[in-house]
Amino acid sequence: MSEKIKDKTVFSLMEVMESVRNTLAKRYTSNFWVRAEMNRLNFYKHSGHCYPDLVEKQDGKIVAQIRAILWKDDYRRIDALFRQTLNTSLRDGVKILFLAKLAFDASRGLTLHILDIDPGYTLGDLEREKLEAIHRMRTEGIFDRNRLLKMPLLLQRIAIISVETSKGYQDFLGKIDRNPWGYAFFHMLFPSVLQGEGIVHSISAQLNRIRTVRHHFDAVAIVRGGGGEAGLAPYNHYQLAREIALFPLPVLTGIGHITNETVTEMAAHKNLITPTDLADFLIQTFHNFSVPVNQVAQKLAHFPGRILQHERMRFMSETKLLRPVVENVLRQRGNLVARLQEKCSDRVRQMIREETVRLESMARSVNSLDPREVMKRGYSITLHDGRVVRNTDGLKAGDVLKTVVYEGALVSTVQTIETKEP
């Protein structure tokens, strides 16, 4: 009841709130469908209730907002329907079509009481987001950027983005680490959230980590277990797909679903349906490299022996062909050598005869100069004090001279010395 205070009609706050509640109850007597974006779910674990913040945006700006209520039992029922239809829980950032009734409480104010949600509307909205992301990336010219990177000849060093405890990751490792051919892979895990909220931020953060050490790796593999179309909604997010498209190493995906490809998978260098398929692909790259190498190695192992055998046979064949030629040449050369030898012998004998005659002549000339032969012809040698006298210089009367003749010597004394004018 109102009261009078200084000629003024005054209502209590409770009275005003009750009036508003009664007016709204008379005006909004039935439930109605509303479409909005769930900005935040605001789930409280201790009570099980949710208090979503609902907004409507135009050109990225919030033009309307209200707090909603989703009681525990309704949340469980609706969330189970979401999981069954979309394979994902209610979460922040999705657009929903929901059945609600207006609720007003004096302490909490105006709220929308959510009674039901149509998951089909959310699925359609996710498809629109996917098409918008593809269109934006194509417009920017980056959609095919990662796919056009040159794949290394041998994918051996793999940076893996996954959850260590996930079955998909364990299946992937089991396949490549225990392959029957013994191919050795180097791999390193970069743990990331791969389901639910936080996928975009978590995977992007790990890609940035790998980018700083990219020279240690040949490719990046994103692997996780199975999931439905809407459960993979974050993989259609433009920001994540852009990170994949612009990554400097080939990105390989095996995120475990058989529905249409997500934008992230489309932007990746290669997409395989499951982690096991991705492991098979990596093993196949080893096959593509090792099989030709092994074939060449086997050929090379036998090649030298075949070459030696071929050359030996060719040598023997050519030897047979050359033997008559060689024998004929040898005979001709032998005859030529014999003739030359005979000519050389004649020439040598002639030279010996000529040299013998010349030596005999020289011997006679030498013998004719022998002092004894000279004295035999009447010549003598006069000595003074043992030295040959060639002229009268140094001689004087009374000197004793010795004159050697062919058959003896004469001793005389100088009487006189006669000099001869020059």
Side-chain angles (χ1 to χ4, degrees):
M1 295 294 293
S2 61
E3 57 179 318
K4 292 287 186 177
I5 301 177
K6 295 181 180 181
D7 298 329
K8 297 177 182 177
T9 301
V10 179
F11 298 93
S12 69
L13 180 61
M14 177 60 75
E15 289 173 330
V16 173
M17 295 294 102
E18 284 294 319
S19 176
V20 172
R21 185 182 66 80
N22 292 333
T23 300
L24 292 175
K26 292 177 183 179
R27 173 66 180 82
Y28 295 94
T29 58
S30 60
N31 304 331
F32 48 90
W33 287 94
V34 183
R35 54 181 170 80
E37 179 180 328
M38 187 177 293
N39 194 42
R40 291 186 62 84
L41 179 62
N42 293 321
F43 171 71
Y44 290 84
K45 291 182 179 180
H46 66 279
S47 66
H49 304 315
C50 301
Y51 301 91
D53 289 327
L54 303 177
V55 300
E56 182 176 343
K57 296 179 181 178
Q58 293 181 3
D59 299 327
K61 295 181 179 180
I62 296 176
V63 295
Q65 61 182 344
I66 192 172
R67 173 63 66 90
I69 297 174
L70 185 55
W71 299 124
K72 176 180 179 180
D73 292 339
D74 291 331
Y75 170 71
R76 287 180 174 177
R77 174 178 52 80
I78 293 171
D79 189 60
L81 180 61
F82 249 69
R83 289 179 178 276
Q84 179 182 354
T85 306
L86 308 178
N87 198 35
T88 186
S89 297
L90 281 172
R91 58 179 176 83
D92 299 347
V94 297
K95 294 180 181 179
I96 58 174
L97 179 66
F98 60 95
L99 181 66
K101 66 179 180 180
L102 201 63
F104 186 85
D105 184 82
S107 60
R108 290 191 292 268
L110 183 66
T111 58
L112 287 176
H113 180 191
I114 298 176
L115 304 174
D116 201 0
I117 296 179
D118 180 5
Y121 175 84
T122 302
L123 181 62
D125 184 68
L126 293 177
E127 183 62 25
R128 285 192 298 273
E129 289 182 356
K130 174 181 177 179
L131 295 176
E132 289 172 0
I134 293 173
H135 176 72
R136 182 175 177 183
M137 292 178 66
R138 290 192 183 280
T139 302
E140 295 173 355
I142 63 174
F143 188 75
D144 298 315
R145 186 76 62 84
N146 193 264
R147 191 181 300 110
L148 295 177
L149 291 177
K150 185 178 180 180
M151 182 79 79
L153 183 62
L154 185 62
L155 292 172
Q156 188 174 18
R157 305 172 302 165
I158 312 299
I160 305 173
I161 296 178
S162 188
V163 180
E164 186 173 9
T165 57
S166 75
K167 184 177 184 300
Y169 174 65
Q170 299 302 326
D171 291 343
F172 177 78
L173 289 190
K175 192 80 171 180
I176 64 172
D177 286 344
R178 292 188 289 274
N179 68 85
W181 299 274
Y183 298 147
F185 291 90
F186 168 78
H187 51 77
M188 181 175 179
L189 176 65
F190 291 80
S192 171
V193 174
L194 294 180
Q195 299 201 51
E197 299 179 12
I199 290 177
V200 175
H201 172 76
S202 184
I203 295 179
S204 298
Q206 294 304 336
L207 286 173
N208 286 330
R209 285 186 61 201
I210 298 170
R211 188 188 300 269
T212 61
V213 292
R214 59 184 180 276
H215 56 282
H216 291 297
F217 299 100
D218 301 315
V220 177
I222 302 176
V223 296
R224 53 150 254 176
E229 182 74 12
L232 297 167
Y235 293 93
N236 288 319
H237 196 284
Y238 163 78
Q239 190 60 41
L240 177 57
R242 183 178 186 276
E243 291 287 341
I244 298 294
L246 297 178
F247 200 74
L249 294 177
V251 178
L252 315 174
T253 55
I255 58 178
H257 69 105
I258 58 175
T259 54
N260 294 331
E261 285 183 306
T262 65
V263 183
T264 291
E265 293 169 303
M266 294 177 183
H269 192 283
K270 190 170 186 62
N271 172 45
L272 286 306
I273 294 177
T274 67
T276 302
D277 293 332
L278 180 53
D280 287 335
F281 169 76
L282 293 175
I283 293 172
Q284 186 61 46
T285 63
F286 258 93
H287 277 318
N288 296 342
F289 181 84
S290 66
V291 171
V293 170
N294 289 333
Q295 290 174 347
V296 171
Q298 292 176 1
K299 290 181 180 178
L300 289 176
H302 302 290
F303 191 62
R306 289 200 299 269
I307 290 179
L308 289 174
Q309 183 179 2
H310 173 73
E311 292 300 321
R312 186 179 295 110
M313 293 177 64
R314 189 167 70 89
F315 177 75
M316 293 176 64
S317 176
E318 292 181 353
T319 300
K320 292 178 181 178
L321 293 174
L322 289 174
R323 180 171 296 168
V325 177
V326 172
E327 291 176 348
N328 184 45
V329 171
L330 289 176
R331 281 193 300 271
Q332 293 177 356
R333 296 300 177 182
N335 295 333
L336 178 60
V337 169
R339 290 194 299 271
L340 291 175
Q341 185 177 8
E342 184 177 354
K343 289 182 179 180
C344 286
S345 298
D346 294 340
R347 179 58 179 160
V348 169
R349 284 192 292 269
Q350 181 181 354
M351 289 176 64
I352 291 174
R353 285 193 299 270
E354 291 175 353
E355 289 302 315
T356 299
V357 172
R358 191 173 66 85
L359 288 174
E360 290 176 349
S361 175
M362 290 176 65
R364 287 192 298 271
S365 297
V366 171
N367 288 334
S368 66
L369 296 177
D370 187 341
R372 289 179 59 81
E373 292 297 324
V374 174
M375 287 186 292
K376 189 176 182 180
R377 294 196 300 269
Y379 292 94
S380 62
I381 300 174
T382 301
L383 304 174
H384 177 248
D385 293 335
R387 293 191 295 272
V388 176
V389 177
R390 292 184 176 85
N391 51 50
T392 60
D393 294 342
L395 295 177
K396 61 184 181 297
D399 289 338
V400 177
L401 301 176
K402 183 178 181 179
T403 300
V404 180
V405 296
Y406 176 69
E407 291 183 344
L410 302 173
V411 179
S412 60
T413 301
V414 178
Q415 298 295 323
T416 61
I417 297 174
E418 296 180 359
T419 60
K420 185 179 181 180
E421 290 298 332

